[in-house]
């Protein structure tokens, strides 16, 4: 009797089980994928939710060693999307019936920025008569700012931990107070305490990362009681310091399939969370995002950033859809989802069941 089936059926997966499942390849990997898909369908039906993604600004005060829009990258032309363009994206979401928007931005903590985000939140809420659910992804902020944004209308927040291993986290970031692992964990805890549905995630395949680290990431999501998870493969950017370690990387294909394993194992390990099919999946594989849905993801984010800004929001090389319009991205993802037999959940916020399950 093969070990995979036995492990998949277990009530509680141990760290050892997680490492074993993450290592699967070939036929056994397919069993993992099929099982994860079954769990997703039991948990979320065939529904996949859209979040219209607006990459609001690439101004960033941080210098993460892997990120193409890090402060020190002077080759990037910095931008802030005009208010009217934000509202156009919101109207597009409303008319398409997507139900939700993600406002993502490089990290800034100055008052001018944080107050303007509050203003945009109120404007989107009032324009849509509260119909659009808003997820923010604007980095580490004080508890007061998180509260202000919650009151202004954001109800979900994404802040990836990048790696739950503090040593690896250190290797991916400059050594200063602005890039502190413990501060990041504190932010996740503050967000939860304020009442947000909290999302986090990691990059998969960064230099120096082991399967044991990835299993610990899954345990971290459980320990921190996370509602939403976005995980994508690390994809190098040629204008970043981490690019120097590109020879240590797994191949693109290996990173891609390891990410699929992470998504599938997560779906089995924490059944009721929302899992996003990250755009970076498509940088490494032409069907990257729909394959992520096939093995357990249930959220997908069509890019609604005006085309003229997109080339300056390249966190990694080969980012897909850089020259597309919002309408093209919307149509393209609808077709991609249809190709894997899923149904789009229109006019709903599509919140994670996990958030409600723990309250009852
Ligand atoms: N490769 C893959 N993902 C990246 N991100 C940033 N840089 C890269 C990269 N080079 C991810 C980080 C961040 C999110 C917004 O994008 O995980 O949290
Ligand atoms: Fe901007 Fe990491 S470089 S938050």
């Amino acid at each position: 009797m093969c070990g995979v089936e036995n492990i998949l059926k277990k009530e509680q997966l141990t760290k050892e089980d997680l490492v074993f499942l993450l290592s699967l390849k070939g036929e056994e990997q397919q069993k993992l994928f099929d099982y994860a898909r079954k769990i997703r369908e039991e948990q979320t039906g065939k529904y996949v939710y859209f979040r219209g993604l607006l990459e609001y600004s690439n101004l960033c005060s941080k210098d993460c060693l892997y990120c193409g829009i890090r402060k020190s990258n002077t080759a990037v032309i910095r931008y802030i999307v005009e208010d009217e363009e934000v509202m156009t994206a919101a109207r597009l979401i409303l008319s398409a019936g997507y139900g939700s928007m993600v406002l993502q931005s490089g990290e800034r903590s100055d008052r001018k920025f944080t107050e303007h985000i509050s203003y945009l939140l109120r404007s989107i809420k009032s324009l849509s008569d509260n119909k659009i659910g808003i997820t923010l992804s604007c980095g580490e902020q004080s508890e007061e700012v998180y509260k202000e944004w919650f009151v202004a209308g954001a109800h979900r927040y994404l802040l990836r931990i990048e790696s739950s291993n503090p040593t690896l986290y250190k290797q991916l970031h400059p050594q200063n107070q602005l890039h502190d692992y413990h501060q990041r964990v504190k932010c996740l805890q503050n967000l939860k305490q304020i009442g947000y549905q909290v999302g986090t995630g990691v990059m998969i395949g960064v230099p120096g990362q082991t399967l044991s680290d990835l299993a610990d990431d899954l345990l971290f999501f459980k320990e921190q009681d996370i509602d939403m998870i976005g995980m994508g493969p690390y994809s190098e950017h040629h204008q970043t310091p981490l690019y120097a370690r590109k020879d240590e990387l797994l191949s693109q294909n290996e990173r891609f399939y390891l990410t699929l394993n992470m998504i599938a194992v997560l779906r089995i390990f924490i059944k009721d969370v929302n899992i996003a099919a990250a755009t970076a999946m498509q940088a490494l594989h032409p069907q990257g995002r729909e394959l992520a849905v096939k093995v357990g993801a249930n959220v997908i984010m069509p890019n609604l950033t005006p085309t003229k800004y997109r080339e300056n929001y390249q966190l990694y090389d080969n980012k897909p859809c850089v020259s597309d319009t919002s309408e093209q991205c919307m149509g393209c993802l609808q077709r991609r989802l249809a190709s894997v037999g899923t149904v789009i959940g229109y006019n709903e916020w599509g919140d994670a069941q996990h958030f409600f399950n723990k309250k009852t």
Side-chain angles (χ1 to χ4, degrees):
M1 178 70 175
C2 163
V4 188
E5 280 102 343
N6 288 338
I7 291 179
L8 290 174
K9 276 192 227 124
K10 278 173 79 170
E11 199 63 27
Q12 289 287 335
L13 295 173
T14 61
K15 176 167 174 191
E16 219 184 355
D17 296 332
L18 296 174
V19 170
F20 172 76
L21 293 173
L22 290 173
S23 73
L24 293 179
K25 292 197 169 122
E27 260 176 47
E28 304 219 313
Q29 184 178 39
Q30 196 53 52
K31 287 181 192 155
L32 165 71
F33 291 166
D34 292 344
Y35 189 72
R37 182 184 185 137
K38 186 173 122 257
I39 301 285
R40 175 172 65 70
E41 289 183 357
E42 278 168 19
Q43 288 294 317
T44 66
K46 285 191 184 307
Y47 288 105
V48 169
Y49 297 100
F50 273 158
R51 317 273 186 239
L53 170 66
L54 187 81
E55 293 153 337
Y56 172 63
S57 170
N58 64 356
L59 271 89
C60 192
S61 54
K62 293 181 106 170
D63 241 342
C64 307
L65 303 181
Y66 45 82
C67 183
I69 66 166
R70 64 199 299 271
K71 186 181 178 188
S72 301
N73 186 2
T74 51
V76 172
I77 300 168
R78 303 288 162 172
Y79 72 82
I80 303 176
V81 172
E82 299 288 337
D83 292 355
E84 196 35 51
E85 293 170 322
V86 177
M87 294 310 139
T88 302
R91 278 190 284 268
L92 207 57
I93 288 169
L94 211 50
S95 64
Y98 284 178
S100 286
M101 180 166 190
V102 178
L103 266 187
Q104 189 176 78
S105 175
E107 188 173 313
R108 278 174 60 189
S109 52
D110 57 282
R111 217 47 211 130
K112 186 166 178 223
F113 174 76
T114 60
E115 279 175 2
H116 200 71
I117 294 290
S118 297
Y119 165 80
L120 289 173
L121 290 168
R122 286 192 295 271
S123 307
I124 297 164
K125 282 286 171 184
S126 107
L127 168 120
S128 69
D129 205 11
N130 197 31
K131 285 207 179 68
I132 296 182
I134 311 177
T135 308
L136 278 181
S137 177
C138 299
E140 292 174 36
Q141 303 288 343
S142 67
E143 203 176 341
E144 290 67 40
V145 168
Y146 283 151
K147 273 188 197 149
E148 182 183 315
W149 288 347
F150 189 72
V151 171
H155 80 288
R156 297 183 288 232
Y157 203 100
L158 304 173
L159 182 70
R160 286 192 184 176
I161 190 71
E162 314 298 358
S163 168
S164 67
N165 174 344
T167 309
L168 190 53
Y169 189 92
K170 266 193 189 158
Q171 292 166 12
L172 298 174
H173 297 94
Q175 300 306 298
N176 59 37
Q177 274 190 331
L178 251 192
H179 301 82
D180 178 50
Y181 173 83
H182 299 285
Q183 184 52 36
R184 206 157 179 92
V185 176
K186 183 79 186 121
C187 282
L188 289 173
Q189 291 165 349
N190 286 342
L191 287 162
K192 179 169 177 227
Q193 201 254 325
I194 291 166
Y196 282 94
Q197 294 174 32
V198 179
T200 192
V202 293
M203 283 181 297
I204 295 158
V206 289
Q209 187 181 48
T210 63
L211 290 186
S212 166
D213 289 327
L214 291 171
D216 283 336
D217 292 337
L218 297 170
L219 292 163
F220 174 89
F221 302 151
K222 191 165 232 176
E223 264 159 38
Q224 297 290 327
D225 205 9
I226 296 297
D227 304 300
M228 324 177 291
I229 289 126
M231 304 180 290
Y234 166 66
S235 181
E236 58 273 38
H237 188 292
H238 65 288
Q239 290 157 340
T240 60
L242 206 61
Y243 192 70
R245 294 182 66 185
K246 66 178 189 317
D247 294 340
E248 292 172 47
L249 296 174
L250 295 172
S251 72
Q252 291 208 349
N253 202 47
E254 286 169 323
R255 267 177 278 160
F256 179 76
Y257 279 95
L258 183 55
T259 308
L260 286 186
N261 280 11
M262 270 294 269
I263 292 175
V265 177
L266 170 63
R267 176 55 75 204
I268 293 163
F269 186 51
I270 320 181
K271 299 185 169 45
D272 57 358
V273 286
N274 273 355
I275 305 178
T279 312
M281 296 295 283
Q282 212 176 304
L284 298 196
H285 190 294
Q287 278 92 43
R289 280 187 284 180
E290 51 272 39
L291 289 177
V293 166
K294 224 173 154 178
V295 306
N298 68 324
V299 167
I300 208 156
M301 301 196 246
N303 194 335
L304 303 190
T305 309
T307 314
K308 65 179 179 208
Y309 300 114
R310 292 188 187 197
E311 65 175 305
N312 286 308
Y313 203 88
Q314 299 201 51
L315 311 183
Y316 44 84
D317 292 339
N318 305 320
K319 188 173 170 208
C321 324
V322 168
S323 55
D324 293 346
T325 63
S326 301
E327 287 77 5
Q328 282 168 331
C329 285
M330 293 160 83
C332 165
L333 280 186
Q334 265 152 325
R335 282 190 298 278
R336 283 172 184 276
L337 285 180
S339 78
V340 288
T342 50
V343 179
I344 298 161
Y346 283 109
N347 297 308
E348 283 178 61
W349 287 1
D351 290 325
Q353 270 314 311
H354 185 84
F355 184 75
F356 302 104
N357 290 348
K358 66 190 169 195
K359 298 218 146 160
T360 53

